[in-house]
Amino acid sequence: MIWLVVLAATVTLVSLGVAVAMERQMREMARNLATRGQSARPLTLRFPTGAARELAREASELIDEAYEVRRGAAEERRVLQENLASFSHDVRTPLAGAQGYLQLYTVAGTAAERDECVAAAVERLGAMRGLVDALFEYAKADDGGLELVREPVNVADVVAACAAERYPAFAERRWQPDISLDEDVVAFTDREALARIVGNLLGNALRHGAAAPRVALRRSTGKGEGGREEFALSVANEAEGLEDIEAGRLFERFYRGDAARRAGGSGLGLAIAASLADALGLSLQAAIDGDTFTVTLSGPLAAPGDQNNV
């Protein structure tokens, strides 16, 4: 009987030892979890059972994910603050100009001078309105709640209509755009959103280009995702100051190089186009080659049965 008592006592002591060790390990893991987000140290285990290792691994993965989310959010806040500072500067400039002309109006000596002051103030307020409208449009395109009406759309017709709308602006600059469009390029997409993308690309070429753009719409010779044929619409033009531009940032909101900033605009045109393209399942890419800037919109052509998948 004595050996049974000894065995029971030994088992009890071992159990207590394990419980104490587990308790200490859990407390240490809790302390490590509280500080790991800052130090990124691995969780240490004094009593590495299988369950404890699994718990530590899962906890580490969750902490790593949370750390990446926090870091990404911090970078987003930094970029947003920079962008808002840039946008604020661009809004204050026409607003200050309008205010200055209105002050001049109060001391103008003739009716003609007052008319000039009013016209100049209205022009600058119009520029500010354009900036605010662009910001609102970007927010609407980027919030994920944009309502799209998908239907078979002839892309060449949309491009031609957008170019025709801007003919007076091209004529004013004495530009004759080189436009080459493949016929029967039909995409299953939202006509209005597609037109907005194309319009923004042409508007960007008008605002920042140094020569008439070259616009080309082609059916792809290969197959895209899902084995579908694709189309590619490119808008290319020569521009100054491209050495100051980071092509990878051109679709960021408010991003503009120094030369682009001097040309005016909100810095949101390409960002809006990129958001709309993403919502439509299309791809928008930018490339700089020497003094030539090219933006290419691509995506799948419409296929039989698309109308039934709305």
Side-chain angles (χ1 to χ4, degrees):
M1 293 296 294
I2 295 177
W3 68 270
L4 290 177
V5 173
V6 172
L7 179 61
T10 303
V11 171
T12 300
L13 289 174
V14 170
S15 299
L16 287 173
V18 170
V20 170
M22 291 294 294
E23 176 71 15
R24 289 178 177 175
Q25 179 165 279
M26 292 300 103
R27 290 182 182 277
E28 186 168 353
M29 287 183 65
R31 288 194 296 270
N32 288 339
L33 286 173
T35 59
R36 188 175 183 276
Q38 290 75 38
S39 64
R41 295 181 304 173
L43 295 179
T44 57
L45 298 174
R46 293 184 180 276
F47 196 66
T49 64
R53 284 194 293 267
E54 184 177 355
L55 175 61
R57 183 174 61 254
E58 293 294 334
S60 296
E61 291 178 358
L62 288 174
I63 292 172
D64 289 341
E65 292 176 4
Y67 176 76
E68 290 299 323
V69 169
R70 289 198 301 274
R71 187 172 66 173
E75 178 63 16
E76 277 287 317
R77 287 195 297 271
R78 184 192 67 78
V79 172
L80 180 59
Q81 289 171 351
E82 291 181 356
N83 290 339
L84 289 178
S86 174
F87 186 74
S88 176
H89 172 271
D90 290 341
V91 168
R92 285 199 303 269
T93 299
L95 182 60
Q99 184 179 20
Y101 278 107
L102 291 176
Q103 290 173 342
L104 287 175
Y105 175 88
T106 63
V107 297
T110 66
E113 291 176 344
R114 288 192 291 272
D115 289 344
E116 289 179 4
C117 290
V118 170
V122 168
E123 179 183 357
R124 281 152 181 79
L125 289 174
M128 188 178 70
R129 170 69 180 275
L131 292 171
V132 174
D133 287 348
L135 180 60
F136 176 75
E137 186 174 0
Y138 172 79
K140 185 172 64 174
D142 195 54
D143 67 0
L146 186 67
E147 293 185 4
L148 300 173
V149 180
R150 298 179 186 273
E151 59 182 342
V153 176
N154 189 304
V155 180
D157 288 349
V158 172
V159 176
C162 290
E165 289 176 4
R166 286 156 183 78
Y167 177 79
F170 285 123
E172 183 178 354
R173 301 193 65 170
R174 297 183 179 179
W175 284 1
Q176 183 62 45
D178 180 4
I179 301 177
S180 176
L181 308 175
D182 280 356
E183 298 180 357
D184 196 29
V185 176
V186 178
F188 191 69
T189 188
D190 182 285
R191 180 181 297 274
E192 183 177 346
L194 179 63
R196 188 64 176 127
I197 295 172
V198 176
N200 282 14
L201 299 187
L202 293 176
N204 186 75
L206 273 165
R207 181 174 292 110
H208 304 298
R214 299 180 297 279
V215 182
L217 174 64
R218 297 286 181 265
R219 295 176 70 103
S220 175
T221 56
K223 300 286 186 178
E225 186 176 350
R228 287 195 176 195
E229 287 186 283
E230 295 193 332
F231 72 90
L233 170 67
S234 64
V235 178
N237 60 281
E238 282 72 40
E240 299 176 354
L242 293 180
E243 64 276 4
D244 300 326
I245 300 293
E246 297 180 47
R249 298 187 59 195
L250 279 167
F251 300 121
E252 292 181 11
R253 58 194 175 212
F254 307 123
Y255 176 75
R256 288 180 291 169
D258 292 338
R261 181 172 296 280
R262 290 192 295 271
S266 66
L268 284 169
L270 291 180
I272 292 171
S275 292
L276 290 173
D278 185 64
L280 294 173
L282 305 177
S283 172
L284 196 61
Q285 302 290 330
I288 295 175
D289 183 10
D291 60 353
T292 300
F293 171 63
T294 304
V295 182
T296 302
L297 177 72
S298 60
L301 295 176
D306 276 342
Q307 190 69 49
N308 298 326
N309 296 326
V310 178

